[in-house]
Structure formats: structure tokens, C-alpha cells
């Protein structure tokens, strides 16, 4: 378990400028791109199975990039990691916009996932370090909320640009798919400017501190083997279920004949509730414990995914996407918070990177299951399997979290000498 933080908490203004604002702008760009990844792959003559696999490459890239991201975030610091990552992201987005075939496009998406891992981890590790445990859920839920706001706004930005610059092909208007990537390019440039304008506010680490904080992933896995075999499996399942909206919604929308722009709007609806409830969810986790949010989140999200194959038009799939957004929204930041609760202060960034590797493994596996279903002509089967994963994640979290997190609920807090709100009992 991690020790209590002694560092003075940041004001909300400093958190907004250094963490939340650049995260939101960056994620708006990613949100504009995400729903058109499978559609662009199809446009580049990939079949449905390959298109789903290319979406999976975004998650696979994050898995590959998680451990290096932990070392880079420790060595470079938050601000430099973000600046370097933004610059590389711009190049990759331009590469995807000009991709002549799906092979080059797939490479760009894979490396984009690696860079995205650096962005996310740097912010998570920083907030974990500077936020007291009794306020940690709210801080990390707000970080997750910025991602969700980006997921909400981004598809509408991308959809609008694709519609405005639609091209006439054989007498029929066709959405301009590269417009989503150029939207992301502009927003990533803005992200770079914002990060550059805000000075690094973290306490600089000495060379000795940086060296001491770097441990191998093998050491972390051995030291926490029981936890990763149980709670780690739940993290994998949560990652797989959350990634479903990135793959299943666009592919099922295409399956029932919706256009690219309408698909972007439907995907954006999934982020509508997703971007609204992260604040009360964070407050609830801080007040009552992590399980009060983790279990309902997975039950609602998993259950709504099971309904996707029963939709046959824009209204039915829109309703299901709203339900998915609700389940995902109340779980904003829950895995980041649970990981932070368990992270040792000595090598926090590397531990969080290992936890993210588990979640990102699930994110990569989820689209692969959808791709397998599409390959055998049973797209609905892959979607139903992921919905079941959500319900299984709820069961594992409910039966194992109390063993590893002091803040699982109020009972575990009292058992470890804290108040019900997670504060130390004054003597």
C-alpha cells in the first residue's frame, strides 16, 4: 500500500492548467479520430475483420508503450514527456491522413497507441503523487472525465468536418474521412502550445531519486503476483469492455447501414453521459469507497453492450450508446484510483505503468474478439462475449478488491484505522 502524501496539494487552478486542460484538448483530437479508424480501414480496402484488428492496434500500441512510458515519465518529467509525445502524435496523424493503403495506416495507429500511453501515464502518476488519498478519486475521476469530454466533443468535431468537406463520388456525397485526422492535428498543436506555456510544477527529482524509482516490471509482477492474478484479471476485463464502444458501435453502425458522419454522431452520444457524471462518481468513491462505483459501472456497461446486436436503426443504437455512456461515466477514473491506492511510493510510476499494461491488454483484446466474430460472420457473438466480460469484472471486483485496497469501502477503512471518509483518526 502507498503511504499518505505529505506534499502540499495543488490548487484547482494549477491542476486545470497543468493537467486537465491539455488532457481535454488532446483527447478531443483522439475522440475525433477513434470512430473513423475502422471506417478509414474499410475505405483503404481492408475487410471488416482487418478493420477491427486495426482498431485493436491502438490498444496493442498502448500495451507495448506502457512500460517504456513509465521509465520515460520518471526520467523526463511530466512536461517534457507531454511535449515530445505531442510532437510525435502530430507526425503520426498526418501519416494516417495520407496513408495510401491499410498497411501504412495500421502502422500509424499502432505507434499512435504507444505515444498515447505516455500521455496518460504521465498525468496519472503526477496526480497520484500530489493528491491526498481521501481526495484521490475525485482528482483521477476528473482526469478520466477530461478524456470522456474529449470522447464526447471529438466525434462531433470530426463528423462536422467530414460532412462540410464531403466529396461527390459517382454523383453521391461521400464523407471526407481524412478530415477527422486533420482536426486532430490542429488540436494536438494546440495541446503542445498549452503544455509549453505552462511551466513544470512538479518537484524536480535528483538523479539518485530517478535511478531509485526505476525497477523492472518483472520485479513488480513477482512482488504482487497474487494481486495481478485476481484483481489484475478484472483490470484486463474492464479494459476490454470499455474499448467495445470504439469498435462495436462503428462496425455495428456500418452493419446496419449508417453513414460515417451519423456513426460519429452516434459514437459521440456514447460520450454524452460519459462526460457528465465523473464528478459525482469521484466524490462517491472518496466518500463511500471504490466498490460503490466499480460494481454498478460494470453491470450497467456490460448489460448495455449485450443489447447492441438487438439494434436495427439510428434511434435504437443511440439509446444503447447512451446506456453505455452512463455505465462508463460512473466508472471514470476507477481503475486509475484503484491502481493508485496500491501503488508503492518508491516506484509509483512503474507500478502504475504495469497496471495500465493489464488494462491496455484488455483494450487490445476486446476489438480482437469483435474481429474474430466478424471474420466468422458472427459479429454479434463477439459483442455479446464482451458484454459478459463486463458482468464478470463486476463479480471479481466485488470479491477481491477488499483484499488489496484500504479504500475499497468504509468497512476496510475502519479496519485499517481510518475514518469512514478515509482520513487518519486524530489521536
Amino acid at each position: 500500500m502507498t503511504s499518505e502524501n505529505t506534499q502540499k496539494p495543488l490548487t484547482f487552478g494549477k491542476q486545470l492548467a497543468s493537467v486537465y486542460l491539455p488532457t481535454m484538448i488532446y483527447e478531443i483530437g483522439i475522440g475525433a479520430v477513434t470512430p473513423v479508424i475502422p471506417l478509414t480501414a474499410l475505405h483503404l480496402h481492408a475487410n471488416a475483420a482487418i478493420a477491427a484488428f486495426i482498431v485493436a492496434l491502438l490498444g496493442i500500441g498502448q500495451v507495448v508503450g506502457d512500460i517504456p512510458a513509465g521509465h520515460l515519465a520518471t526520467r523526463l518529467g511530466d512536461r517534457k514527456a507531454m511535449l515530445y509525445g505531442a510532437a510525435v502524435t502530430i507526425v503520426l496523424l498526418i501519416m494516417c491522413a495520407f496513408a495510401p493503403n491499410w498497411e501504412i495506416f495500421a502502422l500509424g495507429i499502432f505507434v499512435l497507441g504507444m505515444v498515447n500511453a505516455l500521455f496518460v501515464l504521465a498525468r496519472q502518476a503526477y496526480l497520484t503523487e500530489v493528491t491526498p488519498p481521501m481526495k484521490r478519486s475525485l482528482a483521477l475521476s476528473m482526469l478520466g472525465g477530461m478524456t470522456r469530454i474529449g470522447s464526447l466533443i471529438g466525434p462531433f468535431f470530426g463528423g462536422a468536418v467530414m460532412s462540410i468537406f464531403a466529396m461527390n463520388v459517382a454523383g453521391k456525397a461521400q464523407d471526407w474521412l481524412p478530415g477527422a485526422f486533420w482536426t486532430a492535428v490542429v488540436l494536438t498543436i494546440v495541446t503542445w502550445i498549452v503544455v509549453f506555456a505552462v511551466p513544470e510544477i512538479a518537484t524536480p527529482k535528483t538523479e539518485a531519486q530517478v535511478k531509485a524509482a526505476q525497477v523492472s516490471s518483472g520485479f513488480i509482477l513477482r512482488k504482487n503476483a497474487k494481486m495481478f492474478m485476481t484483481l489484475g484479471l478484472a483490470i484486463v476485463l474492464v479494459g476490454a469492455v470499455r474499448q467495445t464502444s470504439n469498435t462495436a458501435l462503428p462496425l455495428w453502425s456500418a452493419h446496419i447501414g449508417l453513414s460515417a458522419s451519423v456513426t460519429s454522431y452516434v459514437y459521440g452520444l456514447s460520450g454524452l453521459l460519459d462526460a457528465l457524471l465523473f464528478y459525482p462518481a469521484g466524490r462517491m468513491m472518496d466518500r463511500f469507497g471504490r466498490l460503490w462505483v466499480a460494481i454498478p459501472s460494470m453491470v450497467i456497461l456490460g448489460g448495455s453492450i449485450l443489447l447492441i446486436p438487438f439494434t436495427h436503426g439510428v434511434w435504437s443504437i443511440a439509446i444503447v450508446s447512451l446506456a453505455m455512456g452512463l455505465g462508463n461515466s460512473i466508472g471514470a477514473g476507477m481503475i486509475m484510483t484503484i491502481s493508485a491506492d496500491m501503488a508503492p511510493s518508491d516506484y509509483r510510476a512503474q507500478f502504475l505503468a504495469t497496471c495500465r499494461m493489464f488494462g491496455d491488454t484488455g483494450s487490445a483484446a476486446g476489438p480482437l474478439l469483435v474481429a474474430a466474430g466478424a471474420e466468422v460472420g458472427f459479429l454479434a457473438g463477439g459483442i455479446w462475449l464482451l458484454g459478459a466480460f463486463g458482468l464478470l469484472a463486476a463479480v471479481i471486483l466485488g470479491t477481491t478488491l477488499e483484499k488489496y485496497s484500504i479504500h475499497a469501502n468504509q468497512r476496510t477503512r475502519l479496519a485499517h484505522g481510518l475514518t469512514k471518509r478515509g482520513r487518519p483518526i486524530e489521536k
Side-chain angles (χ1 to χ4, degrees), residues 103-154:
E103 292 90 349
I104 298 297
F105 180 71
L107 177 62
I109 295 300
F110 172 73
V111 182
L112 184 63
M114 294 181 64
V115 178
N116 193 46
L118 180 61
F119 263 81
V120 176
L121 180 67
R123 294 305 178 185
Q124 179 188 355
Y126 180 70
L127 278 180
T128 299
E129 184 171 351
V130 301
T131 306
M134 70 285 298
K135 296 181 179 180
R136 179 178 292 152
S137 292
L138 180 58
L140 291 173
S141 290
M142 289 188 66
L143 180 63
M146 295 304 103
T147 301
R148 285 153 173 72
I149 290 175
S151 297
L152 168 65
I153 299 175

Side-chain angles (χ1 to χ4, degrees), residues 174-397:
Q174 186 178 84
D175 292 325
W176 183 49
L177 291 177
F181 292 93
W182 287 110
T183 300
V185 167
V186 173
L187 290 167
T188 307
I189 291 173
V190 174
T191 301
W192 192 95
I193 294 172
V194 171
V195 175
F196 183 78
V198 177
E200 179 64 77
I201 56 179
T203 303
K205 292 183 173 61
T206 65
E207 185 176 345
Q209 288 174 319
V210 170
K211 185 176 181 180
Q214 292 183 330
V215 298
S216 69
S217 56
F219 169 81
I220 295 173
L221 289 171
R222 289 192 301 272
K223 190 174 179 63
N224 303 275
K226 290 184 179 180
M227 186 275 291
F228 283 121
M229 285 189 293
T230 53
L231 191 56
L233 175 60
I235 295 175
V236 172
L237 295 175
V238 171
V241 173
R242 284 179 166 174
Q243 190 70 8
T244 300
S245 60
N246 295 342
T247 311
L249 279 179
L251 288 179
W252 192 260
S253 296
H255 177 72
I256 61 178
L258 301 184
S259 68
S261 56
V262 171
T263 297
S264 281
Y265 298 144
V266 169
Y267 182 85
L269 283 174
S270 181
L272 181 62
L273 287 179
D274 212 349
L276 294 179
L277 299 179
F278 61 87
Y279 184 85
R283 291 294 298 270
M284 181 173 289
M285 281 194 287
D286 279 333
R287 183 168 185 174
F288 299 107
R290 316 322 187 199
L291 284 174
W292 281 79
V293 161
I295 294 176
S297 171
M298 286 297 100
V299 170
I300 295 172
L301 184 55
S304 59
I305 290 170
L306 292 174
L307 296 177
I308 291 178
F310 296 103
T311 63
H312 299 91
V314 63
W315 290 110
S316 56
I317 198 170
I319 292 171
V320 169
S321 71
L322 285 172
M324 292 174 63
L326 172 63
N328 210 16
S329 181
I330 62 176
M334 72 174 187
I335 296 300
M336 289 191 292
T337 302
I338 292 169
S339 301
D341 288 343
M342 302 182 294
S345 57
D346 293 341
Y347 47 90
R348 180 176 286 113
Q350 279 68 45
F351 182 90
L352 295 177
T354 304
C355 290
R356 289 206 62 84
M357 181 180 67
F358 275 74
D360 289 339
T361 297
S363 297
L368 290 177
L369 291 174
V370 177
E375 180 66 20
V376 299
F378 192 34
L379 178 60
I383 296 174
W384 281 328
L385 183 59
L386 287 173
F389 280 177
L391 303 182
L392 178 59
V395 172
I396 297 175
L397 287 166

